[in-house]
Amino acid sequence: MFITRLLFMRKTLLLMALASVFTYTAVGQAHAPRCGIDAVRAHMAQHQPELATSFAARQVAPEHDVALKTNDYTTVTIPVVFHFLLTESQLTHIGGVAGLERRLISQIEVLNEDFNAANTDYTSIPEVFRSLYGNARIRFGLARRHHATGAAFAGYQLKVLAPGVDSSYEIFSGTAGSRYFCSDAKYDTNKGFAAWPPDRYLNIWVLRITENNREGVIGITAPPSFTALGQPLLLYQNEIGIVLTYGVLGKRVSSSEYFFERDLDKGRTLTHEMGHYFELDHIWGIEPGCSTDDGIADTPPQEDANYFCPSYPKANCTNSNGGEMFMNYMDYVNDGCMHLFTHGQVARMRREVASGGRSYSLTTNPGLIEWPAGIQNEDIFSELVIAPNPASGYTMIYPGQKPEMLKDVSVWNMMGQLVKTVPLQEVQNGVLRVDLSGITTGVYTIRCHYAAETISRKIVVR
């Protein structure tokens, strides 16, 4: 009898503990900031109060109603380059190099659907808002030409962070540049990649975002308008762009795939952040409360962010017909519950890509998303990555989608002498482990020979 009671008590305590964990998780998610732009704005204004006026300026100048009817823009094309900064385990989370590339392709598809009124879930837009469904006619393509050489390029670069390198990027306490918007990622350091020319390419960094060493923010955008802010908080031109947490990139195709949250798996985080890039605010404005607004005439006033999938209708600040437009891309609801930009939001974004707009130059280089003459997609090997580098004891080679096409791998010293031949039998899950034990400290070259070419990479052995 005593044993039975003891087991019952243990089971009850376990259930209570689990319930408290689930309750905490739900509440924590419901209040997670997700997008970090408002937190950064508040932090900047705290240190430079005059910036508050700049941030609030568009609230008093909503788009003119005449622009809200415009929906016949000419399609423009924008080249996009991704910069991945991941640990070995984070890269594994998203399926290695092959998984990374699949997510990239699906992400571009999502952007092109959402910005061209081609998302099939538009049918879930409530009837009262259906006439406001806008088509931005902005298309995105992976950059296929290297900015410096013009050579064929896979659309992304990848740095696998060496063991011991801090793998988190703070939204407003970095050490490089402006120190805002995860600036540590945006410079050529051991944990960064410098932006490609921001007047020709839209730069996106994919990594692990933290705020005061906490998870929660999954995307943050430094829009072009922030370069006009005054000192000492000037945002540098080469910091313009978008930063994503790696666990929200792309669209889910398998239930076993890793995503930051189960319902943030349709690529809509980047749709939201891209809206910020083209100068859209959150649908409720730059801070909670019915006294602020996003400055867009056809988005109903809304008090605060929505999470998960609210029941429709939900009353808004003015109790107007239709209630809150929580299915707007600039709210915080689950990916599967986001369905539209409005005509007013489209008008604002199109102002940025029109002649004289801050992002106009991005639209003047459509050829950058085309392979150089004579090059086809299937001819391009994924960017070969060797990490950790510098290395001690071992390093790993990530040869791309087709590791089976490797013919041989070898290590050479700076005198051009062969030091080591790497057994290809050690390829596992598309990754080749290279044993560096017994190799003295120095700089070496690792040569990866494919059927059609040889790719060489320098490595420092410690």
Side-chain angles (χ1 to χ4, degrees):
M1 185 67 175
F2 173 76
I3 294 176
T4 302
R5 285 183 177 178
L6 181 60
L7 291 174
F8 176 77
M9 289 174 64
R10 285 181 175 178
K11 184 176 181 180
T12 301
L13 290 171
L14 176 60
L15 290 174
M16 290 174 64
L18 288 173
S20 67
V21 168
F22 292 145
T23 300
Y24 173 82
T25 301
V27 171
Q29 288 177 348
H31 292 85
R34 293 200 177 175
C35 174
I37 191 169
D38 289 342
V40 169
R41 262 195 288 228
H43 194 271
M44 294 172 86
Q46 179 183 357
H47 289 80
Q48 195 170 343
E50 61 270 26
L51 293 180
T53 302
S54 299
F55 294 148
R58 66 164 58 102
Q59 294 179 29
V60 297
E63 301 301 314
H64 297 297
D65 288 343
V66 66
L68 306 186
K69 304 298 183 183
T70 304
N71 204 25
D72 57 354
Y73 305 102
T74 300
T75 299
V76 296
T77 302
I78 293 179
V80 180
V81 59
F82 285 81
H83 313 281
F84 286 88
L85 297 156
L86 304 172
T87 65
E88 190 174 323
S89 63
Q90 289 165 353
L91 181 59
T92 301
H93 273 165
I94 60 174
V97 173
L100 177 155
E101 293 183 347
R102 188 203 62 72
R103 291 190 186 215
L104 266 189
I105 293 170
S106 70
Q107 182 64 76
I108 292 295
E109 290 173 349
V110 170
L111 288 177
N112 285 331
E113 290 172 358
D114 292 349
F115 279 80
N116 291 273
N119 52 304
T120 56
D121 55 6
Y122 82 95
T123 54
S124 297
I125 300 172
E127 187 63 32
V128 68
F129 297 138
R130 191 74 60 84
S131 64
L132 300 177
Y133 180 47
N135 185 347
R137 287 185 167 85
I138 300 175
R139 294 194 61 79
F140 304 88
L142 290 172
R144 295 307 187 189
R145 301 184 187 218
H146 194 279
H147 73 94
T149 65
F153 180 70
Y156 73 93
Q157 52 184 352
L158 167 66
K159 180 179 289 185
V160 181
L161 303 179
V165 172
D166 179 14
S167 62
S168 65
Y169 297 80
E170 288 283 340
I171 65 172
F172 52 64
S173 58
T175 60
S178 70
R179 301 188 177 185
Y180 287 98
F181 298 99
C182 302
S183 63
D184 284 349
K186 301 175 181 180
Y187 294 87
D188 276 326
T189 63
N190 62 345
K191 60 181 292 186
F193 270 131
W196 283 24
D199 60 334
R200 299 169 61 206
Y201 301 88
L202 199 162
N203 289 273
I204 300 174
W205 289 266
V206 183
L207 39 83
R208 173 177 169 253
I209 303 174
T210 57
E211 179 184 3
N212 299 323
N213 294 314
R214 295 177 299 176
E215 303 282 358
V217 173
I218 57 177
I220 186 167
T221 299
S225 63
F226 275 50
T227 58
L229 301 178
Q231 293 284 10
L233 299 177
L234 178 68
L235 190 73
Y236 304 105
Q237 186 71 22
N238 59 349
E239 294 180 18
I240 294 302
I242 298 171
V243 180
L244 281 186
T245 275
Y246 70 100
V248 296
L249 179 74
K251 190 173 183 178
R252 183 188 297 278
V253 296
S254 163
S255 60
S256 62
E257 285 184 301
Y258 167 77
F259 279 87
F260 183 75
E261 287 183 20
R262 180 186 61 191
D263 297 312
L264 302 177
D265 60 353
K266 300 184 185 303
R268 257 59 188 273
T269 298
L270 188 52
T271 298
H272 177 104
E273 295 302 326
M274 199 67 78
H276 284 313
Y277 186 90
F278 296 121
E279 306 295 341
L280 295 183
D281 284 330
H282 290 135
I283 195 168
W284 60 90
I286 63 174
E287 60 183 25
C290 289
S291 61
T292 68
D293 188 55
D294 64 352
I296 304 292
D298 61 357
T299 57
Q302 178 171 311
E303 184 175 4
D304 203 350
N306 286 293
Y307 292 81
F308 310 116
C309 271
S311 298
Y312 178 81
K314 180 181 179 183
N316 60 27
C317 288
T318 58
N319 290 316
S320 59
N321 188 27
E324 292 190 354
M325 191 187 283
F326 56 78
M327 69 293 307
N328 192 282
Y329 293 129
M330 300 313 293
D331 207 332
Y332 279 178
V333 296
N334 293 346
D335 280 12
C337 299
M338 292 181 167
H339 309 306
L340 85 155
F341 290 118
T342 66
H343 292 305
Q345 290 173 316
V346 166
R348 173 163 290 167
M349 292 191 288
R350 289 295 305 203
R351 184 176 64 193
E352 297 299 316
V353 299
S355 179
R358 283 168 287 217
S359 294
Y360 173 67
S361 64
L362 293 176
T363 71
T364 62
N365 298 282
L368 295 177
I369 70 169
E370 301 171 1
W371 297 106
I375 302 293
Q376 301 297 323
N377 188 359
E378 56 269 20
D379 297 331
I380 302 299
F381 291 98
S382 303
E383 183 173 352
L384 184 143
V385 176
I386 296 176
N389 186 11
S392 178
Y394 79 97
T395 192
M396 310 290 281
I397 298 177
Y398 301 82
Q401 279 193 338
K402 301 178 180 178
E404 70 277 4
M405 297 185 70
L406 272 174
K407 298 302 181 182
D408 62 70
V409 176
S410 52
V411 182
W412 299 72
N413 64 21
M414 298 305 291
M415 302 291 292
Q417 299 168 323
L418 177 65
V419 174
K420 184 181 185 68
T421 298
V422 182
L424 295 183
Q425 297 92 318
E426 295 190 31
V427 173
Q428 295 184 358
N429 298 320
V431 181
L432 177 61
R433 181 183 176 90
V434 180
D435 182 6
L436 299 175
S437 60
I439 295 181
T440 57
T441 299
V443 179
Y444 296 83
T445 298
I446 293 183
R447 298 180 184 175
C448 296
H449 177 60
Y450 293 90
E453 64 177 329
T454 297
I455 300 177
S456 299
R457 292 286 187 271
K458 289 285 192 303
I459 184 169
V460 177
V461 178
R462 291 176 173 172

